[in-house]
Amino acid sequence: MEQTTPQKLSFGSKAKAYLALTKPRVIELLLVTTLPTMIFAARSFPDIWLIVATMVGGAFAAGSAGAFNCYIDRDIDKVMHRTENRPLVTGAITPREALVFSWALGVLSIVILWFGANPLSGVLGAAAIFFYVVVYTLVLKRRTAQNIVWGGIAGCMPVLIAWAAVTNKVEWPAIILFMIIFLWTPPHYWPLSMRYSEDYNAAKVPMLGAVAGAQIVSVQVVLYAWAMVVCSLLMVPLGHAGIVYTAVAVAAGAWFLIEAHRLYSKASHDTLTNKSAMKVFHGSISYLTLVFVALAVDPFIGLPLMG
């Protein structure tokens, strides 16, 4: 039976429970892509208040989407070991409290982006929330093994928001950055779903890593990884990237491709372990961080290699 009466918690414990609803680790990853995109778009350090508005508004949008996700998925969260300690499962927060919090955070995020940056950023923020909550969580997640591919579009939106905040436009470099994250999402998430396949199968969520064989999944990881690395190099001719970004994109891309091919090799020889799958998962985070840190540094060192 669903719990509707909140636990008696201290203010600090309640605050931590609300923070957990927002999935802060996901927010951290999204913010890693936001500031570098703003710096690259401005070719310098943008106005500090614009940065604050965009980062806070983006964090609130991601937090709202995460909280909505926890509210909608509370039934499956309680049967998965990975999510059994989420606030709605433990009863630290009631469904009503979570729903009110989700809406409040979402509306506030759009207001901050709209007035703190520009209306285009606000619209893109609203689109990000809609895509994660409605398209991914409500429509795709429980119906198709390709859920994370198209649902991952929500995670690509911060770079569009960041670019629009600086330029009030969505241009080719922003679209390329969007596509890098879009192609990065499957090789990032599918190894994790391989690790937690029993959880997803128990919850009847058809994540590809849980419902397909390791060899099939590893092939997909390799293909998406190659597409991601090739896409990242389009920033040179179309995004006016310089030597710092190019060197890091090539080196980090080559390293991640090696890890993806190792995953495939182990899957082919039936020697794949959870540790191997998680190595690719963690490696994908390192890859994305390196590429976007290089993106932030690039405008300050040298000139664009092309154009």
Side-chain angles (χ1 to χ4, degrees), residues 190-191 194-195 208-209 212-222 258-278 280:
W190 281 339
M194 293 169 75
R195 162 67 177 83
L208 187 69
Q215 190 165 357
I216 293 174
V217 178
S218 61
V219 167
Q220 292 295 310
V221 168
V222 168
I258 290 171
E259 293 300 325
H261 278 277
R262 282 177 178 165
L263 183 79
Y264 169 72
S265 178
K266 290 182 179 181
S268 298
H269 293 90
D270 201 25
T271 58
L272 184 63
T273 62
N274 287 336
K275 184 177 180 180
S276 300
M278 291 303 290
V280 176

Side-chain angles (χ1 to χ4, degrees), residues 18-138:
Y18 275 112
L19 179 62
L21 268 187
T22 66
K23 301 185 178 181
R25 286 190 176 181
V26 175
I27 294 176
E28 289 174 11
L29 190 60
L30 296 179
L31 294 182
V32 162
T33 65
T34 300
L35 181 57
T37 300
M38 294 184 73
I39 293 172
F40 191 83
R43 292 282 168 176
S44 63
F45 208 76
D47 176 77
I48 187 64
W49 293 113
L50 179 63
I51 292 174
V52 170
T54 307
M55 297 283 279
V56 171
F60 281 12
S64 170
F68 272 119
N69 177 267
C70 287
Y71 171 80
I72 295 166
D73 282 350
R74 61 193 187 277
D75 61 325
I76 61 176
D77 281 349
K78 65 184 177 183
V79 301
M80 295 175 61
H81 293 301
R82 190 172 69 89
T83 56
E84 62 187 3
N85 291 319
R86 285 181 175 171
L88 281 164
V89 179
T90 63
I93 291 177
T94 66
R96 177 183 174 82
E97 289 173 332
L99 190 58
V100 171
F101 176 70
S102 303
W103 276 107
L105 206 57
V107 171
L108 188 57
S109 72
I110 296 169
V111 170
I112 292 172
L113 289 171
W114 188 289
F115 294 102
N118 51 52
L120 178 58
S121 297
V123 170
L124 291 171
I129 297 172
F130 175 84
F131 220 95
Y132 190 75
V133 176
V134 177
V135 177
Y136 171 62
T137 306
L138 287 175

Side-chain angles (χ1 to χ4, degrees), residues 33-34 37 155-164 174 177-179 181 292:
T33 65
T34 300
T37 300
C156 309
M157 296 299 289
V159 294
L160 298 187
I161 295 169
W163 195 275
L177 295 173
F178 176 98
M179 288 303 301
I181 302 173
F292 275 87

Side-chain angles (χ1 to χ4, degrees), residues 3 10 46 52 62 122 133 135 174 181 184 198 211 253 256:
Q3 186 166 347
S10 66
V52 170
V133 176
V135 177
I181 302 173
W184 167 87
E198 292 183 3
V211 300
F256 187 71

